[in-house]
Structure formats: structure tokens, C-alpha cells
Amino acid sequence: MSEFFLDLPMRPRRNRKSPGVRAMVQETHLTPAQLVLPVFVHEDPEDQPLASMPGCTRWSLDGLLREAEGALEDGIRALVLFPKVPEGRKTPGGEEAFDPEGLVPRALRALKQRLPELVLVTDVALDPYSSDGHDGLVVDGEVVNDATVEVLAKQAVMQAEAGADIIAPSDMMDGRIGALREALDLNGHTGVSLLSYTAKYASAFYGPFRGALDSAPKAGDKKTYQMDPANAREALRELALDEHEGADMVMVKPAGPYLDVIARMREATTLPIAAYQVSGEYLALRSACDAGWLQEREAVLESLIGIRRAGADLVLTYFARSAARWLREG
Ligand code: PBG
């Protein structure tokens, strides 16, 4: 053996020599409390397995309660709710978005009553309710900003009244965080949090989700409001605005292809950062695992720890329940 090797001053492998040493030097950890489970709910009395997202289900109200109970048992503390509104009830104005008898408020009340310790997160945007399939109101073919924000504020107040703990606007309209904060406060909901989808990209990875909710835009795309995947500095500008307008938490979405954005936002804010591992990321992993080419447990946990390592405090993921169980098994 050459003297060069004997004299090696640093041998990084020493810190990897046994499970005990590796655990001592592990830099990032993932726990079930950091995972948020997105759930789909519909009016039908039957639960519906989702063709576009194998392993995921669109729940009836009863099914949702069972799923939420199971998630809590697995160690998940928070759910985010997404409704599928029947085609016949969608309107250009998306009125169901703020109807106190709509599906989301009924689900919120049922969940709050049955599982008061569960943290309920709601989505604010018009796409599941709009006959145009856009996150905002469409006037002469354009998604209009300020009129949309007024509707979103009504939607947020209604959700707060029905029991939402955290309201998460995913619509990407300008100024909505400030407007929602003001509307919530004026209506006495000073304790309801805002989790802003700060950097939500116009991504191809939302396809399976739109399949699950039949919520694809009827015309055009979402590029006039969601961000260009090529941009990262712009995320910092959105972040500055959201902080100024009063966001309690901020989000990057999707997660895996945008780890650099998470890392840059981590440097720029002291607020908690969430990252959303979206439906297309789920489907890509799921398909490769189902085909037998990836080991599910190892691949999924690696994808999640990578998002944490980039700087996310919280991860929204359709794998939340299985990941929580794997983490608890150790
Ligand atoms: C819409 C919304 C979308 C998702 C969450 N909220 C889709 C979109 O913007 O078209 C996507 C989530 C996923 O793909 O898992 N407000």
C-alpha cells in the first residue's frame, strides 16, 4: 500500500461505518408530523378508486371519515381536502366555492366533530367549481385577477366558518394573501392560518390530479397565473409579497423538480416552507414501483427526505400514510 493512502488525513467513510455511527451523523430527519395527506372527496355514497392515481381513492363522506381516522392512527396530523363537484353544479362564477352547504364545508364539519385533533387544511381556488376549469373567473377568455380575489375571500371565510384550521390558496392570483387575511380578520377568524402556494408552477405534473377531479381547464392553459418552470428568482419575489401580505406558511409546488427553489426560499425566509409532491410525481414513482423496477419503500422515502434536505419543513404527499407507517416501523 502506498504511503499516500496511509497518510490520508480525512477518511469520510469513518462516519458511515455502522448503523449507530450513521444515525449519529444523520443531518435530516423525516417524521409523520411533517407529512400532510391530500384527500379527494365526492358526493357519491361509494368510494371510487382513481384510474389516474392507482392506490388513491375519491372518498364518499363516510369513506373520508374512515380514511382520516386511519391517517391519524398512522401518525398523520393534517389533511388537505379536494372536492369533486358534479359537472351539472359547475358554473362560470363557481358559486359552490362559497356555498356553506357545499361538499367541502359539510366534510369539514363532519371531520371536526368526529376528529377534533386533526388539522384541517382547505384549498382556495375556483377550478373544481368553475365550468371553465380555471382557478379564477374567466371574462372574455381571460382569467381576471381582482374580481377573482373577491370570490376567493368569500370562499376562505366560508371555509373558516365551517372549521378549516389552515387555508391554502392555490390559485396564484396577485394580492390574494392580503385580501384573504383581511377578510378572515374582519369576520373574526384571526386564528385561522394562511398557507400560501407561493411558487406554484404551470406544471405538466398535475395531469393525474385533474383526472381525479375532472378539473382540467376547458380552454387554454394556466400560464397567465401559474409560474414558468424556468424561473427561480421570481419565486423569491412571490415570497416577499406573501410575507408582506401576512402568509403564515409558504409552499413550493411541485416538489421534486423544484428542489433548488425550495433551497433558495429556505435561505430567504424564516417562515415554515411546505412542498407539494404532486400527482404526477406520485404516479411516476407509483408506476415504476408497481412495475417492479423500484423498491417502493426505499424510493418513496428517498424522494421525501430529499425534499426535506432541500429545506422544506412539511411535505404534502399522496404517500403520506404509507411513509408514516414505514417511519414508525423504523
Ligand atoms: C388547483 C390545484 C391543482 C393541484 C392542487 N390544486 C391543479 C392545478 O393547478 O391545475 C394539483 C395537485 C396535484 O397534482 O397533486 N387549484
Side-chain angles (χ1 to χ4, degrees), residues 78-119:
L79 299 186
V80 53
L81 270 181
F82 293 103
K84 177 175 190 276
V85 176
E87 211 52 45
R89 291 222 307 266
K90 298 186 185 185
T91 56
E95 279 81 6
E96 171 142 351
F98 53 88
D99 178 352
E101 293 312 314
L103 182 56
V104 165
R106 277 182 283 134
L108 287 170
R109 287 191 288 266
L111 286 163
K112 255 293 159 245
Q113 191 184 5
R114 173 89 71 94
L115 305 165
E117 71 275 37
L118 189 65
V119 178

Side-chain angles (χ1 to χ4, degrees), residues 28 30 35 277 299-309 315-317 319-320 323-324 326-327:
T28 310
L30 179 65
L35 300 173
Q277 184 179 56
V300 169
L301 289 178
E302 183 177 334
S303 74
L304 297 174
I305 202 80
I307 295 166
R308 288 268 303 127
R309 190 195 62 242
V315 188
L316 287 76
T317 172
F319 290 112
W326 294 325
L327 292 168

Side-chain angles (χ1 to χ4, degrees), residues 27-143:
E27 297 176 29
T28 310
H29 295 84
L30 179 65
T31 68
Q34 294 159 335
L35 300 173
V36 178
L37 176 68
V39 286
F40 302 112
V41 60
H42 61 194
E43 299 278 0
D44 313 6
E46 302 291 328
D47 301 331
Q48 172 78 42
L50 292 171
S52 66
M53 298 176 66
C56 291
T57 303
R58 216 167 50 217
W59 302 103
S60 62
L61 267 181
D62 281 347
L64 175 66
L65 290 170
R66 278 193 303 276
E67 172 72 356
E69 212 158 13
L72 264 179
E73 277 161 22
D74 292 336
I76 302 295
R77 316 292 296 268
L79 299 186
V80 53
L81 270 181
F82 293 103
K84 177 175 190 276
V85 176
E87 211 52 45
R89 291 222 307 266
K90 298 186 185 185
T91 56
E95 279 81 6
E96 171 142 351
F98 53 88
D99 178 352
E101 293 312 314
L103 182 56
V104 165
R106 277 182 283 134
L108 287 170
R109 287 191 288 266
L111 286 163
K112 255 293 159 245
Q113 191 184 5
R114 173 89 71 94
L115 305 165
E117 71 275 37
L118 189 65
V119 178
L120 301 179
V121 185
T122 50
D123 187 71
V124 159
L126 297 185
D127 51 327
Y129 311 96
S130 148
S131 44
D132 294 303
H134 275 286
D135 291 26
L137 300 171
V138 178
V139 177
D140 297 334
E142 274 193 34
V143 175

